[in-house]
Amino acid sequence: MPDTPAPPHADTRPESRYDFRAAEPKWQRAWEEAGCFRVPDVPPPGARKYYVLEMFPYPSGKIHMGHVRNYTLGDVVARYKRARGHLVMHPMGWDAFGLPAENAARERGIHPGKWTYDNIANMRAELKRMGLSLEWEREFATCDPEYYGQQQKLFLDFLEAGLVERKESWVNWDPVDGTVLANEQVIDGRGWRSGAPVEKKKLSQWFLSITKFAPELLEALGTLARWPERVKLMQANWIGRSEGARFAFRLATPVAGIAECEVFTTRPDTLFGMSFLAVAAEHPIAAAVAARDPAAAAFIAECRAMGTSEAVIEQAEKRGYDTGLRVVHPFTGETHPVWIANFVLMEYGTGALFGCPGHDERDHEFARKYGLPIKPVVKPREAGEDFSVAEKPFTEDGVIVNSGFLDGLDVAAAKRAAIARLEELGAGRGVVNWRLRDWGVSRQRYWGCPIPVIHCEACGIVPVPKEQLPVRLPEDVDFSKPGNPLDHHPSWKHVPCPRCGAPARRETDTFDTFVDSSWYFARFCSPRAAEPVTREAVDAWLPVDQYIGGIEHAILHLLYSRFFTRAMKATGHVALDEPFAGLFTQGMVQHESYKGADGRWLYPDEVEKRPDGTAVVKGTEEPVTIGRVEAMSKSKRNTVDPGAIIDRYGADTARWFILSDNPPERDMEWSEAGVAGASRFIGRLWRLAQSLQEADAPDEAAGRKLRQATHRTIAAVTEALEGFAFNVAVARIHELANAIADSPSAPLAARREALETMTRLFAPMMPHLAEEIWHALNPGAGLLARLPWPEADPALLAAETLTLAVQVGGKLRATIEVPVDATDEQVFALAEAEPNVIRALDGKPVRKRIHVKGRVVNLVA
Ligand code: ANZ
Ligand code: ZN
């Protein structure tokens, strides 16, 4: 936002600079001492509650600009809603378990707990310097035993309610580190740490039964009116409801007693276009073939090395192995080959599919590679006889061809007809299939919440009795060995069985950290309760009215939280289904990137920009290549440290700039020039406040105009804040500042009203400066943070003048402002007094005058 130069009269007064270094900590202390942001766990009757929450940070060590943007947006909402008379809860905590702490332990020998709590202390201090209206009394970290112990209770409740299962599943196994890897930790088929080829391994793991809620999780997206459409769409795709058919192909010759192969398809209409059948590498048919065919076994082993993630499989080259088996087509009686293929997932559908290369991308690629038939069975309505799918599959709606009894139907009708026939033949049935899988929550790691169960030889799985919770992590752990330190701890896992007393073994898996973040918003309502939540508190405060965070959490975190809320409802902890009534996803903070002569990335701090647009390494002549503007990231070093910005310019400057640059849902570019502009604007507002004095000759008309500008700004800023258009609010405040500066002759009362109102309007955005100005104007007054939002006076909002175009002989010559109730005569007189109009008339008498009210005056000479 460019800054306009300060008006001359401001500079004629003695220099008094706004001292943010003194003001910011002073007001932060004042708010804290007054308890401005504290709210009770149970709001008093009649209170209008409003719960604002930003996604809590991972305590990596330092806050970054993404945090600054996220928490500034939330703080504007919190302060604004408070001023609008809501009882606002605005808490903060730490998503504190996770791998980086363990890595620090392995690399630097620091205990994960110490590393984490040190980082929290650092980041808390940094956040406090931002002047956020947070209620620090509610703070917790998910690694506090008081938190994770309650999480263990919740888990046991879920277990009892049948919402937890233990099942075998395929995992990425790092044979060198002896540990399970998350999909993101498998890089090009190798363990990120060891570099060893990753294997697939079957392990018994804990699962939360999210699939039980799949239909409601999908359906209820329709009730989330204040969520971005994009996020709802991503969730819907992730849940992935598809209608189709499940049916069996008969094997022409059975193998190892297997006579049939069941498939799932969403396109039963394309069955006549079938070219092959494909099974996953883990499918029983594949195993049966491998038992007698070493080449098949070798192929399966290669598939295993590939990693389990869908993304990996999607990108990998399609590969297959022809088993030599054949299946019989249920409609035609013809036979087709059975392949083992690397793109078929064992966990989806039945782990087998029929391939129709004419109408599916993957099948097409596969068929081309292995020379399998490609036959069109759907064609666009308008296509002729020569329509071909040899080069490209056709995946849209059309008319069915080459398909016997389905010919001539459209895709939807053909699906129904094919399913009906399969049901008649007893081969299968129509089904709904879900893409969503149960949520595997077991992690073989130390720095996480222990899963509170005990394995006993005799009793099986025994929950840890609730009175023994929390199951605490042991402090003395050894990170020098690979694998899970909980597993090779000498004593921790050895406990007596709570049921029979025999020696038993603790579960050594800990929870996926997404579990920790799936209910923290509920815990904030009563953070010290001896139960996971207090019913009165969650009933009063939930749902979160406004949740704010990054789009990167559009799927997993938000979906898990929605599931958790339903599971907590099923176990009596809450009464609602949806945790977040409103969701806002902010854009990224970007910055130019810089490279030195040798191609190394440089921090913005190390670069000196020259007026001609070029740049050099500071203090040298080494040229710098200025790269693209992209999301700040450590790897490209295009980051700016918020702490340094606050040191140099103050928190309000950082906040103002972040709000001014772009709509908050869009990416924004951080630039030195932008920050400097925000800082100058603050100086200007300060001087404007100091210049308040009665004019020598007060002018009532100027006063009225200024009052109108003031009240229109109230309306405009209110509307902008309600709609998250914070950059618009900033622009309106700039305009009002200009209007004040341009009205030196307005009477003092009008100028004072304008200044005070403007201060209250920017208070949610620049709270320190607002308090400072407020108290300078009103010595001894109470805190601005406690003041209600200004109200616009409707009488001052109504337009009092109209703008008219003035034409001479049909040509636009001027525009004039006229009072709404002006007569034709008055309007013509004003029009004919315009210098441009006089020139255009060139002394000729006016023959004809036309006035269209509110629009135009036309004069004909
Ligand atoms: C035949 C067919 C013809 C298919 C055609 C598609 C297009 P969604 O929509 O995501 O549910 N499929 C089935 N099981 C699979 C598995 N275990 N691994 C990988 N792919 C599998 O996907 C359903 C489609 O994905 C199914 O419909 C099947 O291919 C494939 F013109 O069957 B289809
Ligand atoms: Zn036992």
Side-chain angles (χ1 to χ4, degrees):
M1 174 95 13
D3 192 46
T4 28
H9 62 267
D11 288 339
T12 60
R13 301 179 58 81
E15 180 77 343
S16 147
R17 289 173 59 98
Y18 171 54
D19 182 2
F20 70 82
R21 287 193 180 86
E24 293 190 345
K26 177 177 74 187
W27 295 116
Q28 288 161 16
R29 233 175 297 118
W31 297 323
E32 192 173 332
E33 277 162 18
C36 287
F37 315 130
R38 246 179 266 156
V39 292
D41 284 1
V42 181
R48 286 187 301 146
K49 71 95 185 178
Y50 199 91
Y51 184 176
V52 187
L53 186 65
E54 299 94 57
M55 292 179 182
F56 67 163
Y58 176 77
S60 56
K62 268 178 160 306
I63 63 169
H64 55 64
M65 279 302 169
H67 293 132
V68 173
R69 194 175 196 195
N70 193 189
Y71 302 133
T72 300
L73 297 177
D75 201 46
V76 172
V77 176
R79 288 179 182 270
Y80 169 70
K81 289 289 174 185
R82 229 175 258 122
R84 291 302 297 256
H86 292 272
L87 188 67
V88 173
M89 177 154 85
H90 188 208
M92 179 55 76
W94 310 95
D95 189 11
F97 275 136
L99 208 47
E102 275 186 54
N103 293 342
R106 281 182 214 279
E107 281 154 21
R108 280 174 275 157
I110 312 169
H111 189 276
K114 174 162 171 47
W115 184 83
T116 304
Y117 284 106
D118 284 354
N119 286 348
I120 288 176
N122 242 326
M123 291 173 71
R124 183 193 301 115
E126 288 185 301
L127 287 184
K128 286 196 169 179
R129 291 185 66 206
M130 282 183 62
L132 303 169
S133 64
L134 290 165
E135 190 183 5
W136 284 102
E137 288 76 7
R138 291 182 189 272
E139 177 191 1
F140 59 76
T142 55
C143 62
D144 298 341
E146 297 73 27
Y147 182 80
Y148 72 69
Q150 299 302 333
Q151 182 163 304
Q152 292 168 342
K153 269 192 208 163
L154 272 183
F155 173 80
L156 294 180
D157 287 347
F158 291 0
L159 184 65
E160 212 174 286
L163 296 172
V164 178
E165 257 187 276
R166 191 165 167 78
K167 25 182 196 187
E168 296 233 295
S169 87
W170 291 97
V171 294
N172 303 308
W173 181 254
D174 185 323
V176 170
D177 270 359
T179 184
V180 174
L181 300 177
N183 287 329
E184 308 77 62
Q185 295 170 327
V186 180
I187 295 158
D188 297 332
R190 291 172 180 273
W192 66 321
R193 199 157 263 290
S194 69
V198 168
E199 297 169 3
K200 284 195 198 174
K201 192 171 161 178
K202 237 183 182 176
L203 274 192
S204 260
Q205 309 241 71
W206 291 99
F207 285 84
L208 295 183
S209 307
I210 188 170
T211 54
K212 287 201 170 134
F213 295 92
E216 347 178 357
L217 286 169
L218 181 67
E219 193 121 316
L221 287 172
T223 66
L224 300 175
R226 289 198 295 119
W227 277 44
E229 286 307 319
R230 179 156 79 119
V231 173
K232 290 192 270 187
L233 190 66
M234 286 162 85
Q235 292 222 347
N237 287 338
W238 187 262
I239 298 167
R241 179 181 194 277
S242 48
E243 276 181 40
R246 232 176 219 260
F247 66 96
F249 285 93
R250 190 165 54 76
L251 284 171
T253 36
V255 58
I258 305 172
E260 282 188 347
C261 180
E262 199 181 34
V263 297
F264 168 70
T265 179
T266 46
R267 296 293 306 274
D269 56 302
T270 64
L271 196 41
F272 283 93
M274 169 172 185
S275 163
F276 59 91
L277 186 134
V279 300
E282 301 83 9
H283 195 278
I285 291 180
V289 172
R292 60 173 202 208
D293 176 353
F299 177 73
I300 292 168
E302 277 176 51
C303 289
R304 277 220 174 137
M306 195 168 64
T308 58
S309 92
E310 220 174 298
V312 168
I313 288 166
E314 213 43 67
Q315 284 157 17
E317 189 197 343
K318 311 282 165 286
R319 297 183 50 214
Y321 181 84
D322 185 354
T323 63
L325 298 170
R326 297 188 78 84
V327 288
V328 182
H329 194 287
F331 295 162
T332 66
E334 285 167 17
T335 67
H336 298 278
V338 176
W339 286 67
I340 303 169
N342 68 346
F343 65 88
V344 185
L345 304 163
M346 192 56 216
E347 298 79 22
Y348 191 66
T350 61
L353 55 83
F354 77 81
C356 178
H359 305 284
D360 182 85
E361 300 279 355
R362 287 179 308 184
D363 297 350
H364 199 268
E365 194 185 327
F366 192 77
R368 295 257 296 220
K369 178 158 181 188
Y370 293 108
L372 296 162
I374 303 176
K375 170 174 137 187
V377 288
V378 189
K379 73 177 186 57
R381 289 213 171 263
E382 63 288 357
E385 282 307 303
D386 56 344
F387 177 70
S388 162
V389 286
E391 289 306 314
K392 210 168 114 8
F394 175 66
T395 56
E396 271 139 68
D397 194 11
V399 55
I400 308 290
V401 293
N402 304 327
S403 297
F405 69 96
L406 298 176
D407 279 356
L409 299 176
D410 63 22
V411 165
K415 280 184 184 176
R416 286 193 296 271
I419 291 172
R421 179 64 61 91
L422 287 168
E423 288 179 353
E424 255 168 58
L425 295 171
R429 68 212 145 83
V431 291
V432 171
N433 205 64
W434 300 87
R435 194 175 162 276
L436 187 65
R437 303 285 79 155
D438 274 339
W439 175 14
V441 292
S442 287
R443 297 291 180 273
Q444 290 69 36
R445 316 218 170 282
Y446 167 73
W447 195 233
C449 168
I451 298 179
V453 295
I454 290 165
H455 300 270
C456 168
E457 291 270 353
C459 312
I461 285 175
V462 183
V464 173
K466 284 198 177 161
E467 59 282 4
Q468 290 176 23
L469 298 181
V471 174
R472 281 175 188 268
L473 290 168
E475 284 290 323
D476 52 332
V477 273
D478 176 8
F479 284 97
S480 61
K481 282 185 251 168
N484 179 0
L486 288 180
D487 200 35
H488 49 65
H489 189 279
S491 59
W492 185 77
K493 69 177 174 186
H494 302 293
V495 286
C497 167
R499 212 161 271 166
C500 71
R505 182 177 59 78
R506 260 191 211 295
E507 173 65 68
T508 56
D509 286 355
T510 51
F511 283 121
D512 176 4
T513 57
F514 273 111
V515 174
D516 313 338
S517 53
S518 292
W519 71 286
Y520 78 107
F521 50 87
R523 180 73 181 164
F524 272 139
C525 301
S526 50
R528 315 286 168 236
E531 291 298 316
V533 296
T534 309
R535 268 310 286 270
E536 298 95 291
V538 285
D539 286 352
W541 282 108
L542 291 182
V544 173
D545 295 279
Q546 187 62 61
Y547 198 33
I548 307 173
I551 189 78
E552 67 276 19
H553 295 297
I555 300 176
L556 295 185
H557 163 59
L558 292 170
L559 192 62
Y560 292 152
S561 300
R562 297 180 63 219
F563 156 70
F564 239 78
T565 305
R566 285 170 169 78
M568 287 174 76
K569 185 183 178 190
T571 48
H573 291 285
V574 299
L576 81 175
D577 293 313
E578 289 295 335
F580 311 123
L583 172 70
F584 187 87
T585 51
Q586 94 244 14
M588 306 267 241
V589 185
Q590 307 179 314
H591 198 285
E592 277 180 340
S593 50
Y594 307 104
K595 269 185 180 176
D598 56 357
R600 73 189 187 287
W601 295 103
L602 297 167
Y603 286 108
D605 264 1
E606 302 172 277
V607 174
E608 183 186 329
K609 292 237 206 153
R610 299 255 160 107
D612 63 357
T614 63
V616 291
V617 175
K618 251 183 207 165
T620 73
E621 286 301 314
E622 183 186 337
V624 167
T625 313
I626 302 180
R628 283 193 303 147
V629 174
E630 49 194 318
M632 287 189 178
S633 80
K634 277 190 197 149
S635 63
K636 302 224 162 103
R637 300 200 162 184
N638 61 338
T639 55
V640 173
D641 171 27
I645 295 292
I646 295 177
D647 285 343
R648 176 140 176 231
Y649 296 101
D652 283 341
T653 297
R655 295 170 61 123
W656 187 251
F657 173 52
I658 257 197
L659 293 166
S660 66
D661 185 71
N662 235 354
E665 66 276 17
R666 292 235 285 274
D667 293 345
M668 67 160 291
E669 186 189 346
W670 185 273
S671 70
E672 269 298 303
V675 185
S679 172
R680 279 197 306 276
F681 185 63
I682 287 179
R684 185 172 163 221
L685 291 176
W686 177 244
R687 290 190 301 272
L688 211 49
Q690 296 207 310
S691 70
L692 192 64
Q693 58 180 349
E694 187 57 281
D696 297 337
D699 169 358
E700 286 303 328
R704 175 120 192 120
K705 245 182 112 185
L706 183 57
R707 293 206 64 207
Q708 284 177 340
T710 301
H711 286 260
R712 282 183 197 147
T713 307
I714 298 177
V717 170
T718 306
E719 189 188 317
L721 294 188
E722 290 284 347
F724 262 91
F726 298 158
N727 59 318
V728 174
V730 166
R732 294 293 95 85
I733 286 162
H734 269 262
E735 285 165 14
L736 183 56
N738 288 343
I740 298 172
D742 291 345
S743 319
S745 58
L748 180 62
R751 287 172 58 77
R752 188 179 180 91
E753 179 193 41
L755 250 172
E756 290 193 351
T757 305
M758 177 175 71
T759 304
R760 288 160 68 183
L761 294 177
F762 70 66
M765 303 182 253
M766 296 188 285
H768 312 91
L769 176 71
E771 290 285 1
E772 192 71 18
I773 292 184
W774 182 253
H775 289 268
L777 296 177
N778 302 287
L783 287 168
L784 178 53
R786 285 246 161 93
L787 227 60
W789 193 244
E791 294 276 350
D793 178 351
L796 288 163
L797 289 182
E800 297 191 321
T801 60
L802 298 171
T803 308
L804 297 181
V806 183
Q807 298 178 344
V808 177
K811 263 203 175 139
L812 179 69
R813 294 297 179 186
T815 55
I816 52 172
E817 292 275 319
V818 301
V820 204
D821 51 0
T823 62
D824 285 351
E825 277 61 44
Q826 287 169 325
V827 169
F828 294 135
L830 280 167
E832 285 166 45
E834 281 291 307
N836 245 351
V837 173
I838 296 172
R839 221 169 298 131
L841 287 171
D842 198 22
K844 285 178 245 151
V846 179
R847 287 187 291 118
K848 208 170 153 195
R849 299 179 169 88
I850 303 157
H851 172 207
V852 185
K853 198 168 158 63
R855 306 193 53 173
V856 71
V857 176
N858 199 0
L859 307 172
V860 183

